[in-house]
Amino acid sequence: MLSKISTAALAATLSLAASTAMAGAGDYAFEPVTPQMKKGEDVTLAVRLTNKQTGKPIPDAVIFKTRLDMAPDGMAEMESAVAPLPSREPGVYAFKTDLPMAGRYQMTLSVKVQGEPETVTGKVIVTAIK
């Protein structure tokens, strides 16, 4: 009887360890807070970072690389500068940028999430309208 309980406890521990070890950079998702906005200068583009498994926002991620261009419309060379802004809510990262023409823009982000050894990379598409 004791052997069966020990085996069950060991199996539960290994299962928990395996699920923790399987967490990785792919467990996170980026989404635009506002997927459609007016074109123009000094536009605020906000991106939400969440854990796919829990749906919870990920605060305090360190964003170390960003790029905004019009790759979805075949114009990857149309790049806009991106400057970080203070966050207004946990898991939301805001940026000041220019969207000089109507069309689709792709923001590529590389971030470090606390406790995650891998770099989390994601792409978000927003549409600028007239």
Side-chain angles (χ1 to χ4, degrees):
M1 179 73 164
L2 183 57
S3 174
K4 288 182 182 181
I5 293 172
S6 296
T7 303
L10 179 62
T13 302
L14 289 175
S15 175
L16 180 60
S19 67
T20 302
M22 292 180 67
D27 291 334
Y28 302 94
F30 293 95
E31 62 184 24
V33 172
T34 307
Q36 194 173 67
M37 57 193 68
K38 286 193 171 193
K39 72 179 184 91
E41 296 179 4
D42 293 337
V43 173
T44 298
L45 193 159
V47 176
R48 181 175 290 111
L49 175 60
T50 58
N51 181 303
K52 288 180 185 177
Q53 294 176 350
T54 65
K56 292 183 179 181
I58 304 298
D60 304 322
V62 177
I63 299 170
F64 64 90
K65 186 175 179 183
T66 57
R67 177 181 166 91
L68 182 69
D69 59 42
M70 291 192 76
D73 286 344
M75 296 183 279
E77 68 280 356
M78 289 284 297
E79 187 175 354
S80 292
V82 177
L85 293 171
S87 179
R88 293 186 182 177
E89 67 180 275
V92 174
Y93 302 90
F95 306 90
K96 182 172 119 177
T97 190
D98 295 334
L99 303 176
M101 61 188 290
R104 293 178 298 161
Y105 289 81
Q106 175 177 277
M107 182 168 214
T108 305
L109 302 108
S110 295
V111 306
K112 283 293 193 181
V113 172
Q114 191 172 23
E116 177 60 57
E118 300 176 52
T119 296
V120 176
T121 305
K123 296 181 183 198
V124 172
I125 297 177
V126 297
T127 303
I129 57 174
K130 294 181 179 186

